[in-house]
């Protein structure tokens, strides 16, 4: 992933979401493109709806709490990638969100389909301009 770019004159550190569908203010949440015809939601930019081929979209806030639908526990990855990590698909009030599960013991004893989780954000690191990249994941509710 390439670092985000910034205006040359910004001196104060700023938080920069790693993906453009992560919105940090006023509280962190995800925003999808919603088909104005059929209501299908997509996180990537599309020229036409994958379901109905309509071409008009507006934006929709995605629920910040959801349910784990599927997950895997990755124990081995390329050098430089911390393992284990837990990529999952989380059902947020009907919208499927792909993200890692965080703040949870990465074992199948702890993680089950149907686990209730909520969106959380965390700093990834600062770039040379001092801007702090912000990533997101889902953590268990009440754990
Ligand atoms: Zn559609």
């Amino acid at each position: 992933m390439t670092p985000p770019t910034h205006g040359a004159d910004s001196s104060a550190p700023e938080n920069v979401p790693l993906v453009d569908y992560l919105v940090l203010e006023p509280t962190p949440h995800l925003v999808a493109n919603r088909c104005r015809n059929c209501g299908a939601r997509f996180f990537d930019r599309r020229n036409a709806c994958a379901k109905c081929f309509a071409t008009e979209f507006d934006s929709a806030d995605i629920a910040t709490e959801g349910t784990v639908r599927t997950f895997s526990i990755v124990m081995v990855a390329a050098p430089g990638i911390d393992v284990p990590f837990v990529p999952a698909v989380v059902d947020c009030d009907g919208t499927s969100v792909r993200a890692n599960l965080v703040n949870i013991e990465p074992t199948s004893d702890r993680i089950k389909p149907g686990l209730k989780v909520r969106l959380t954000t965390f700093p990834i690191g600062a770039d040379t301009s001092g801007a702090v990249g912000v990533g997101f994941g889902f953590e268990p509710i009440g754990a």
Side-chain angles (χ1 to χ4, degrees), residues 36-110:
R36 293 180 68 169
N37 184 52
C38 76
R41 295 172 187 197
F42 306 98
F43 287 109
D44 52 345
R45 295 184 194 286
R46 287 173 182 268
N47 293 322
C49 175
K51 285 189 179 169
C52 74
F53 304 110
T55 56
E56 304 234 323
F57 294 88
D58 53 20
S59 62
D61 290 349
I62 300 301
T64 56
E65 296 187 355
T67 304
V68 173
R69 187 177 284 165
T70 64
F71 68 95
S72 53
I73 299 173
V74 178
M75 304 299 293
V76 179
I81 298 176
D82 288 337
V83 290
F85 64 97
V86 188
V89 176
V90 177
D91 181 347
C92 291
D93 203 16
T95 300
S96 293
V97 180
R98 291 176 184 277
N100 287 346
L101 302 184
V102 297
N103 301 331
I104 189 170
E105 194 182 320
T107 68
S108 54
D109 288 343
R110 293 283 291 120

Side-chain angles (χ1 to χ4, degrees), residues 108-133:
S108 54
D109 288 343
R110 293 283 291 120
I111 307 171
K112 309 274 188 201
L115 181 73
K116 303 285 188 195
V117 294
R118 70 178 162 229
L119 185 75
T120 184
T121 59
F122 42 83
I124 300 295
D127 69 12
T128 52
S129 72
V132 176

